Amino acid sequence: EDQVTQSPEALRLQEGESSSLNCSYTVSGLRGLFWYRQDPGKGPEFLFTLYSAGEEKEKERLKATLTKKESFLHITAPKPEDSATYLCAVQAGGSYGQNFVFGPGTRLSVLP
Amino acid sequence: EADIYQTPRYLVIGTGKKITLECSQTMGHDKMYWYQQDPGMELHLIHYSYGVNSTEKGDLSSESTVSRIRTEHFPLTLESARPSHTSQYLCASRGLAMGTQYFGPGTRLLVL
C-alpha cells in the first residue's frame, strides 16, 4: 500500500533559523513527488514537483530534494510569513486519479 | 496562478438538507478531484474525473455524488447532509501533460 509520512508533525523556528522538513514514502513506481503549502482555511498551494532521485528544485528560501525513499524541504533563513502547513504528496504508477497520496503535513511556525 | 473556484466558501446547513458544492476551473484541465480534509488532518480523495462523463470514487468512502457534464465544472452533491459530513471540501484540477494538482480555496461545511 502506498504511504507517505512527514516529520516532524510540528516545528517552531526563530526567524533566520534554517531547518528541514522530511517526507518519507513507500510507493510502487513513483511518478512524482509534490510539495504544497497550505495556510489555515485555504487550499494547498503548489510549490515543487520532483520526478527522480537526485533532483532538486529551489524557490526563494525553499529547496526541495529527492532520494529513492524520502524528500526534504529545506528552509533557509525563514521569515514569519513562511509559517504554514507543508504537505507532501506522491503519485504512483497506475490509474490517473486514485494514486495521489498525501502526507499529514508539517505545521511550521516561524517566530519573529 | 491557477484559476479554480469553489462556492460557497462557507456553508452552515441543517441535517437532511440537500446541498451542492460548486467547483469550476478555467484552465481546460481534463482531470478534476474532490478531497475531504478535517482540521489538522491529511487530504482524502473522495471523487475524481478523467474528463467529461467520467467519474470515479476515491479512497475515502463518501455518501456524496459528482457529475462532469462540462470540462470546466465538477459539482459535488450531498443528497441528505448529516453532522458527520462536517469538514472542509477541496476541489483540484490537473492538466493532461502536467503533474501537479491546482487546488481551489475550499468549502467549509458545517452540518447541524
Side-chain angles (χ1 to χ4, degrees):
Chain A
E1 183 182 343
D2 300 334
Q3 284 191 325
V4 177
T5 59
Q6 292 186 246
S7 61
E9 183 177 327
L11 180 62
R12 182 171 291 189
L13 300 174
Q14 290 295 133
E15 184 172 3
E17 180 186 1
S18 302
S19 187
S20 297
L21 313 182
N22 176 266
C23 170
S24 295
Y25 62 90
T26 305
V27 296
S28 52
L30 180 70
R31 296 181 66 180
L33 185 140
F34 306 85
W35 282 99
Y36 297 87
R37 169 194 170 125
Q38 186 174 27
D39 293 304
K42 296 186 178 180
E45 175 188 344
F46 169 68
L47 293 174
F48 303 110
T49 306
L50 302 167
Y51 291 105
S52 58
E55 189 174 358
E56 299 182 353
K57 295 275 181 72
E58 282 190 71
K59 180 181 178 180
E60 297 180 353
R61 295 178 293 281
L62 301 177
K63 178 180 177 180
T65 61
L66 180 65
T67 72
K68 289 186 177 180
K69 294 184 179 181
E70 58 190 351
S71 176
F72 291 94
L73 184 65
H74 307 279
I75 303 176
T76 303
K79 298 181 178 181
E81 53 262 42
D82 294 323
S83 298
T85 296
Y86 290 86
L87 302 174
C88 170
V90 297
Q91 184 188 9
S95 62
Y96 286 108
Q98 283 187 291
N99 51 20
F100 273 81
V101 179
F102 280 82
T106 293
R107 293 190 305 279
L108 174 66
S109 299
V110 182
L111 306 176
Chain B
E1 188 172 326
D3 294 322
I4 181 164
Y5 309 97
Q6 290 186 243
T7 57
R9 292 294 314 279
Y10 306 93
L11 181 61
V12 180
I13 200 163
T15 297
K17 298 293 185 182
K18 177 179 179 179
I19 61 171
T20 296
L21 308 184
E22 302 287 349
C23 176
S24 295
Q25 50 96 4
T26 60
M27 298 168 284
H29 288 171
D30 59 335
K31 300 176 187 61
M32 295 189 73
Y33 308 83
W34 276 104
Y35 290 89
Q36 186 173 341
Q37 184 183 33
D38 293 324
M41 304 297 287
E42 57 262 50
L43 280 73
H44 291 286
L45 182 68
I46 51 176
H47 295 284
Y48 64 98
S49 168
Y50 297 165
V52 171
N53 295 324
S54 160
T55 61
E56 300 286 345
K57 290 191 174 183
D59 305 318
L60 183 67
S61 175
S62 174
E63 295 166 341
S64 58
T65 59
V66 293
S67 63
R68 189 88 183 276
I69 298 173
R70 304 197 315 266
T71 297
E72 62 271 21
H73 195 212
F74 191 40
L76 180 145
T77 298
L78 279 168
E79 291 292 333
S80 180
R82 295 209 301 263
S84 60
H85 296 139
T86 294
S87 189
Q88 174 164 254
Y89 292 84
L90 292 162
C91 180
S93 72
R94 180 166 164 256
L96 181 64
M98 296 177 64
T100 190
Q101 297 184 10
Y102 292 99
F103 285 85
T107 294
R108 297 178 71 90
L109 174 64
L110 173 61
V111 183
L112 302 175

